[in-house]
Amino acid sequence: MADRSDRETYELRGDPTAVETALTELGPLVWASFIGADRALVRCEAESSPEVSDVLEHYPDISAHVRTSAYAAIGLIGPRASDLLNEVDLTPSGLIVREGRDAFEILLPADHGAELWNFLVESGEPFDLACVGHDALDRLAASRRIASD
């Protein structure tokens, strides 16, 4: 588990078809989760943010706003991450964004971040949850990509 506040969060609102088309164009630059038919939260690495913004500017039917500071982002990665997420109740405020196989981010209002962190530390004990820095998660993710190639 790691704090993933190093990434950017965008909130997209607008025509559902335009939102889907934009997300398709953004492809592997982003991770996204719909939170309504016409609304999605999009996450990207900080260095990809200018490119993401450029793409989103070409969609007049979408309003896109950076909402990074409005959300706490907690990353969970590993073979038991899904099991842990199936055991905890994140409603009503937690949103899970799937990054890839066994890799998730939990987004929730920033003022609830510390509370969720403590809850996950306690709930994750039976799953051997470890708190690590985001560099460790990035290296783990990169090594998993290399191993799967």
Side-chain angles (χ1 to χ4, degrees), residues 44-72:
C44 69
E45 299 292 351
E47 61 269 11
S48 299
S49 186
E51 187 175 353
V52 170
S53 291
D54 287 346
V55 168
L56 293 174
E57 285 177 9
H58 292 90
Y59 287 89
D61 295 341
I62 298 174
S63 68
H65 300 282
V66 176
R67 298 282 190 239
T68 305
S69 63
Y71 292 94

mmCIF file of all heavy atoms in Angstrom, residues 44-72:
data_model
loop_
_atom_site.group_PDB
_atom_site.id
_atom_site.type_symbol
_atom_site.label_atom_id
_atom_site.label_comp_id
_atom_site.label_asym_id
_atom_site.label_seq_id
_atom_site.Cartn_x
_atom_site.Cartn_y
_atom_site.Cartn_z
ATOM 1 N N CYS A 44 -3.506 9.856 -14.019
ATOM 2 C CA CYS A 44 -2.337 9.695 -14.879
ATOM 3 C C CYS A 44 -1.086 10.066 -14.098
ATOM 4 O O CYS A 44 -1.155 10.737 -13.061
ATOM 5 C CB CYS A 44 -2.447 10.540 -16.146
ATOM 6 S SG CYS A 44 -2.350 12.322 -15.887
ATOM 7 N N GLU A 45 0.049 9.617 -14.613
ATOM 8 C CA GLU A 45 1.321 10.018 -14.027
ATOM 9 C C GLU A 45 1.484 11.520 -14.233
ATOM 10 O O GLU A 45 1.016 12.073 -15.233
ATOM 11 C CB GLU A 45 2.480 9.271 -14.700
ATOM 12 C CG GLU A 45 2.418 7.764 -14.565
ATOM 13 C CD GLU A 45 2.622 7.260 -13.140
ATOM 14 O OE1 GLU A 45 2.986 8.041 -12.241
ATOM 15 O OE2 GLU A 45 2.398 6.057 -12.926
ATOM 16 N N ALA A 46 2.149 12.187 -13.316
ATOM 17 C CA ALA A 46 2.321 13.642 -13.391
ATOM 18 C C ALA A 46 2.983 14.065 -14.699
ATOM 19 O O ALA A 46 2.583 15.060 -15.305
ATOM 20 C CB ALA A 46 3.123 14.142 -12.195
ATOM 21 N N GLU A 47 3.960 13.289 -15.180
ATOM 22 C CA GLU A 47 4.652 13.674 -16.411
ATOM 23 C C GLU A 47 3.767 13.532 -17.650
ATOM 24 O O GLU A 47 4.052 14.123 -18.689
ATOM 25 C CB GLU A 47 5.967 12.898 -16.594
ATOM 26 C CG GLU A 47 5.813 11.408 -16.708
ATOM 27 C CD GLU A 47 5.907 10.667 -15.373
ATOM 28 O OE1 GLU A 47 5.887 11.299 -14.306
ATOM 29 O OE2 GLU A 47 5.981 9.434 -15.416
ATOM 30 N N SER A 48 2.678 12.774 -17.558
ATOM 31 C CA SER A 48 1.746 12.622 -18.686
ATOM 32 C C SER A 48 0.650 13.681 -18.677
ATOM 33 O O SER A 48 -0.099 13.798 -19.648
ATOM 34 C CB SER A 48 1.088 11.238 -18.649
ATOM 35 O OG SER A 48 2.048 10.231 -18.756
ATOM 36 N N SER A 49 0.560 14.453 -17.627
ATOM 37 C CA SER A 49 -0.515 15.420 -17.475
ATOM 38 C C SER A 49 -0.624 16.423 -18.628
ATOM 39 O O SER A 49 -1.727 16.675 -19.115
ATOM 40 C CB SER A 49 -0.375 16.148 -16.138
ATOM 41 O OG SER A 49 -1.472 16.983 -15.919
ATOM 42 N N PRO A 50 0.482 16.997 -19.116
ATOM 43 C CA PRO A 50 0.337 17.931 -20.245
ATOM 44 C C PRO A 50 -0.262 17.267 -21.492
ATOM 45 O O PRO A 50 -1.108 17.855 -22.158
ATOM 46 C CB PRO A 50 1.769 18.404 -20.510
ATOM 47 C CG PRO A 50 2.478 18.213 -19.212
ATOM 48 C CD PRO A 50 1.860 16.972 -18.610
ATOM 49 N N GLU A 51 0.146 16.042 -21.774
ATOM 50 C CA GLU A 51 -0.388 15.332 -22.940
ATOM 51 C C GLU A 51 -1.869 15.004 -22.746
ATOM 52 O O GLU A 51 -2.674 15.155 -23.668
ATOM 53 C CB GLU A 51 0.410 14.048 -23.183
ATOM 54 C CG GLU A 51 0.041 13.341 -24.456
ATOM 55 C CD GLU A 51 0.920 12.131 -24.730
ATOM 56 O OE1 GLU A 51 1.904 11.897 -24.008
ATOM 57 O OE2 GLU A 51 0.595 11.415 -25.694
ATOM 58 N N VAL A 52 -2.239 14.593 -21.541
ATOM 59 C CA VAL A 52 -3.647 14.306 -21.238
ATOM 60 C C VAL A 52 -4.478 15.569 -21.402
ATOM 61 O O VAL A 52 -5.539 15.557 -22.037
ATOM 62 C CB VAL A 52 -3.790 13.703 -19.820
ATOM 63 C CG1 VAL A 52 -5.246 13.634 -19.395
ATOM 64 C CG2 VAL A 52 -3.141 12.314 -19.753
ATOM 65 N N SER A 53 -3.989 16.684 -20.869
ATOM 66 C CA SER A 53 -4.705 17.959 -21.005
ATOM 67 C C SER A 53 -4.883 18.352 -22.464
ATOM 68 O O SER A 53 -5.956 18.811 -22.862
ATOM 69 C CB SER A 53 -3.957 19.075 -20.267
ATOM 70 O OG SER A 53 -4.020 18.874 -18.884
ATOM 71 N N ASP A 54 -3.824 18.170 -23.273
ATOM 72 C CA ASP A 54 -3.904 18.505 -24.702
ATOM 73 C C ASP A 54 -4.989 17.692 -25.401
ATOM 74 O O ASP A 54 -5.761 18.230 -26.198
ATOM 75 C CB ASP A 54 -2.566 18.267 -25.399
ATOM 76 C CG ASP A 54 -1.515 19.305 -25.042
ATOM 77 O OD1 ASP A 54 -1.875 20.360 -24.473
ATOM 78 O OD2 ASP A 54 -0.329 19.054 -25.325
ATOM 79 N N VAL A 55 -5.050 16.394 -25.116
ATOM 80 C CA VAL A 55 -6.069 15.547 -25.741
ATOM 81 C C VAL A 55 -7.460 16.007 -25.320
ATOM 82 O O VAL A 55 -8.363 16.154 -26.147
ATOM 83 C CB VAL A 55 -5.852 14.053 -25.389
ATOM 84 C CG1 VAL A 55 -7.053 13.215 -25.791
ATOM 85 C CG2 VAL A 55 -4.582 13.531 -26.055
ATOM 86 N N LEU A 56 -7.644 16.248 -24.036
ATOM 87 C CA LEU A 56 -8.975 16.601 -23.518
ATOM 88 C C LEU A 56 -9.462 17.945 -24.042
ATOM 89 O O LEU A 56 -10.671 18.152 -24.178
ATOM 90 C CB LEU A 56 -8.966 16.580 -21.992
ATOM 91 C CG LEU A 56 -8.767 15.195 -21.370
ATOM 92 C CD1 LEU A 56 -8.627 15.299 -19.860
ATOM 93 C CD2 LEU A 56 -9.899 14.246 -21.748
ATOM 94 N N GLU A 57 -8.540 18.852 -24.368
ATOM 95 C CA GLU A 57 -8.934 20.162 -24.916
ATOM 96 C C GLU A 57 -9.634 20.042 -26.263
ATOM 97 O O GLU A 57 -10.352 20.942 -26.673
ATOM 98 C CB GLU A 57 -7.709 21.066 -25.053
ATOM 99 C CG GLU A 57 -7.217 21.605 -23.738
ATOM 100 C CD GLU A 57 -5.955 22.446 -23.893
ATOM 101 O OE1 GLU A 57 -5.554 22.753 -25.042
ATOM 102 O OE2 GLU A 57 -5.371 22.789 -22.862
ATOM 103 N N HIS A 58 -9.450 18.935 -26.956
ATOM 104 C CA HIS A 58 -10.038 18.742 -28.287
ATOM 105 C C HIS A 58 -11.453 18.174 -28.233
ATOM 106 O O HIS A 58 -12.025 17.844 -29.270
ATOM 107 C CB HIS A 58 -9.136 17.846 -29.135
ATOM 108 C CG HIS A 58 -7.836 18.498 -29.481
ATOM 109 N ND1 HIS A 58 -6.718 18.382 -28.691
ATOM 110 C CD2 HIS A 58 -7.494 19.312 -30.511
ATOM 111 C CE1 HIS A 58 -5.740 19.080 -29.218
ATOM 112 N NE2 HIS A 58 -6.176 19.658 -30.315
ATOM 113 N N TYR A 59 -12.015 18.089 -27.045
ATOM 114 C CA TYR A 59 -13.375 17.550 -26.895
ATOM 115 C C TYR A 59 -14.287 18.637 -26.328
ATOM 116 O O TYR A 59 -14.374 18.804 -25.110
ATOM 117 C CB TYR A 59 -13.362 16.310 -25.994
ATOM 118 C CG TYR A 59 -12.772 15.116 -26.677
ATOM 119 C CD1 TYR A 59 -11.409 14.862 -26.610
ATOM 120 C CD2 TYR A 59 -13.573 14.258 -27.420
ATOM 121 C CE1 TYR A 59 -10.858 13.767 -27.261
ATOM 122 C CE2 TYR A 59 -13.027 13.169 -28.079
ATOM 123 C CZ TYR A 59 -11.669 12.927 -27.985
ATOM 124 O OH TYR A 59 -11.133 11.850 -28.644
ATOM 125 N N PRO A 60 -14.981 19.370 -27.205
ATOM 126 C CA PRO A 60 -15.831 20.466 -26.728
ATOM 127 C C PRO A 60 -17.033 19.990 -25.911
ATOM 128 O O PRO A 60 -17.602 20.777 -25.152
ATOM 129 C CB PRO A 60 -16.283 21.155 -28.024
ATOM 130 C CG PRO A 60 -16.147 20.116 -29.080
ATOM 131 C CD PRO A 60 -15.004 19.233 -28.653
ATOM 132 N N ASP A 61 -17.404 18.712 -26.037
ATOM 133 C CA ASP A 61 -18.556 18.185 -25.291
ATOM 134 C C ASP A 61 -18.178 17.674 -23.907
ATOM 135 O O ASP A 61 -18.990 17.067 -23.227
ATOM 136 C CB ASP A 61 -19.228 17.052 -26.077
ATOM 137 C CG ASP A 61 -19.839 17.542 -27.377
ATOM 138 O OD1 ASP A 61 -20.073 18.756 -27.501
ATOM 139 O OD2 ASP A 61 -20.058 16.702 -28.278
ATOM 140 N N ILE A 62 -16.924 17.919 -23.513
ATOM 141 C CA ILE A 62 -16.443 17.456 -22.204
ATOM 142 C C ILE A 62 -15.860 18.634 -21.448
ATOM 143 O O ILE A 62 -15.093 19.428 -21.995
ATOM 144 C CB ILE A 62 -15.332 16.392 -22.361
ATOM 145 C CG1 ILE A 62 -15.843 15.155 -23.072
ATOM 146 C CG2 ILE A 62 -14.750 16.020 -21.002
ATOM 147 C CD1 ILE A 62 -14.746 14.148 -23.370
ATOM 148 N N SER A 63 -16.189 18.728 -20.172
ATOM 149 C CA SER A 63 -15.457 19.655 -19.309
ATOM 150 C C SER A 63 -14.492 18.794 -18.482
ATOM 151 O O SER A 63 -14.880 17.772 -17.918
ATOM 152 C CB SER A 63 -16.400 20.447 -18.407
ATOM 153 O OG SER A 63 -17.008 19.614 -17.450
ATOM 154 N N ALA A 64 -13.236 19.182 -18.495
ATOM 155 C CA ALA A 64 -12.198 18.445 -17.783
ATOM 156 C C ALA A 64 -11.523 19.386 -16.798
ATOM 157 O O ALA A 64 -11.063 20.466 -17.177
ATOM 158 C CB ALA A 64 -11.180 17.881 -18.764
ATOM 159 N N HIS A 65 -11.491 18.980 -15.543
ATOM 160 C CA HIS A 65 -10.890 19.804 -14.497
ATOM 161 C C HIS A 65 -9.923 18.965 -13.672
ATOM 162 O O HIS A 65 -10.227 17.819 -13.340
ATOM 163 C CB HIS A 65 -11.970 20.375 -13.573
ATOM 164 C CG HIS A 65 -12.957 21.220 -14.296
ATOM 165 N ND1 HIS A 65 -12.700 22.510 -14.677
ATOM 166 C CD2 HIS A 65 -14.204 20.940 -14.745
ATOM 167 C CE1 HIS A 65 -13.750 22.996 -15.317
ATOM 168 N NE2 HIS A 65 -14.676 22.064 -15.383
ATOM 169 N N VAL A 66 -8.768 19.547 -13.371
ATOM 170 C CA VAL A 66 -7.808 18.881 -12.495
ATOM 171 C C VAL A 66 -8.372 18.929 -11.079
ATOM 172 O O VAL A 66 -8.711 20.000 -10.577
ATOM 173 C CB VAL A 66 -6.423 19.551 -12.571
ATOM 174 C CG1 VAL A 66 -5.465 18.900 -11.578
ATOM 175 C CG2 VAL A 66 -5.868 19.482 -13.982
ATOM 176 N N ARG A 67 -8.475 17.755 -10.461
ATOM 177 C CA ARG A 67 -9.037 17.650 -9.110
ATOM 178 C C ARG A 67 -8.093 16.912 -8.155
ATOM 179 O O ARG A 67 -8.519 16.340 -7.170
ATOM 180 C CB ARG A 67 -10.373 16.894 -9.152
ATOM 181 C CG ARG A 67 -11.446 17.568 -9.960
ATOM 182 C CD ARG A 67 -12.055 18.704 -9.161
ATOM 183 N NE ARG A 67 -13.240 19.195 -9.832
ATOM 184 C CZ ARG A 67 -13.386 20.429 -10.241
ATOM 185 N NH1 ARG A 67 -12.444 21.309 -10.031
ATOM 186 N NH2 ARG A 67 -14.486 20.808 -10.855
ATOM 187 N N THR A 68 -6.817 16.953 -8.464
ATOM 188 C CA THR A 68 -5.826 16.203 -7.693
ATOM 189 C C THR A 68 -5.918 16.499 -6.203
ATOM 190 O O THR A 68 -5.933 15.579 -5.378
ATOM 191 C CB THR A 68 -4.407 16.492 -8.221
ATOM 192 O OG1 THR A 68 -4.384 16.212 -9.627
ATOM 193 C CG2 THR A 68 -3.368 15.652 -7.498
ATOM 194 N N SER A 69 -5.996 17.761 -5.829
ATOM 195 C CA SER A 69 -6.002 18.107 -4.402
ATOM 196 C C SER A 69 -7.319 17.759 -3.710
ATOM 197 O O SER A 69 -7.378 17.736 -2.485
ATOM 198 C CB SER A 69 -5.683 19.590 -4.219
ATOM 199 O OG SER A 69 -6.683 20.384 -4.824
ATOM 200 N N ALA A 70 -8.347 17.480 -4.463
ATOM 201 C CA ALA A 70 -9.648 17.149 -3.865
ATOM 202 C C ALA A 70 -9.731 15.695 -3.408
ATOM 203 O O ALA A 70 -10.625 15.335 -2.645
ATOM 204 C CB ALA A 70 -10.776 17.431 -4.856
ATOM 205 N N TYR A 71 -8.784 14.862 -3.863
ATOM 206 C CA TYR A 71 -8.852 13.433 -3.574
ATOM 207 C C TYR A 71 -7.596 12.918 -2.897
ATOM 208 O O TYR A 71 -6.493 13.322 -3.239
ATOM 209 C CB TYR A 71 -9.056 12.628 -4.869
ATOM 210 C CG TYR A 71 -10.397 12.831 -5.494
ATOM 211 C CD1 TYR A 71 -10.589 13.778 -6.486
ATOM 212 C CD2 TYR A 71 -11.499 12.081 -5.082
ATOM 213 C CE1 TYR A 71 -11.838 13.980 -7.057
ATOM 214 C CE2 TYR A 71 -12.748 12.281 -5.646
ATOM 215 C CZ TYR A 71 -12.907 13.229 -6.634
ATOM 216 O OH TYR A 71 -14.141 13.432 -7.193
ATOM 217 N N ALA A 72 -7.787 11.996 -1.965
ATOM 218 C CA ALA A 72 -6.692 11.185 -1.452
ATOM 219 C C ALA A 72 -6.626 9.970 -2.368
ATOM 220 O O ALA A 72 -7.661 9.479 -2.827
ATOM 221 C CB ALA A 72 -6.972 10.751 -0.019
#
